Amino acid sequence: MTQLAPTDPRPRVTPFTIDRRISGTPTEVAAAVATLRTSGRLITMTMPRQVPDDATRVWVHVRILSPRPRKAVHAATRPMRVVRRRWPVAAGMTAAGTAATAAVWALVKFVAALAAVWPAVVGVLVLLSLLWLSLGRAGVCCPGLHCPGCKH
């Protein structure tokens, strides 16, 4: 009877290959190797060797392609990964980016409008400061301009 036994319990470097030892009669081993070869899964094999203490059995080491990637040997001991939905983060980042872009756009438009009318803005500020100085504050000495309450 042919046996496909693992040759090494350690995980492989690449998860797509498996090392196995096939043992059985020469006819059974040849049939198993031929099946692996015709299916396209056989990568490499060693020469047949006699099984110790049994003159009718042989074995070969084969490396075959795994039908699907194997899971790691210690996968059960690792903590399970929590799958988080990323669309709320993406939506928040998009909203924040849009708000930042709108704020920069509004600032640029404000500065451009201010640059277009800066002489008028400066004139209005000068007039407001003169008005403030001329009105003065009650109970405070005037800053040099005469107001009706200071009597000097």
Side-chain angles (χ1 to χ4, degrees):
M1 176 137 200
T2 305
Q3 296 177 358
L4 276 162
T7 58
D8 191 0
R10 294 176 297 172
R12 298 286 78 191
V13 175
T14 170
F16 300 108
T17 63
I18 303 171
D19 285 349
R20 292 286 186 249
R21 181 181 61 222
I22 302 174
S23 64
T25 64
T27 307
E28 291 171 340
V29 171
V33 169
T35 302
L36 289 171
R37 186 176 289 133
T38 57
S39 70
R41 294 181 56 206
L42 180 66
I43 297 172
T44 184
M45 65 177 272
T46 63
M47 294 296 294
R49 295 185 185 161
Q50 193 71 34
V51 173
D53 301 328
D54 192 351
T56 62
R57 296 174 64 85
V58 294
W59 56 269
V60 294
H61 283 288
V62 293
R63 177 168 286 175
I64 57 176
L65 287 173
S66 175
R68 59 182 134 40
R70 290 177 28 185
K71 293 184 180 176
V73 173
H74 303 290
T77 60
R78 293 181 188 161
M80 294 197 58
R81 191 174 139 217
V82 177
V83 177
R84 295 183 180 144
R85 296 182 187 237
R86 296 186 182 182
W87 66 266
V89 174
M93 294 297 289
T94 302
T98 303
T101 303
V104 168
W105 177 80
L107 182 66
V108 166
K109 288 295 184 181
F110 175 74
V111 169
L114 191 64
V117 294
W118 73 269
V121 171
V122 170
V124 168
L125 289 176
V126 167
L127 287 176
L128 287 176
S129 64
L130 288 175
L131 181 66
W132 178 71
L133 289 174
S134 67
L135 291 178
R137 295 185 211 157
V140 178
C141 180
C142 69
L145 297 174
H146 294 287
C147 59
C150 73
K151 302 200 187 327
H152 77 283

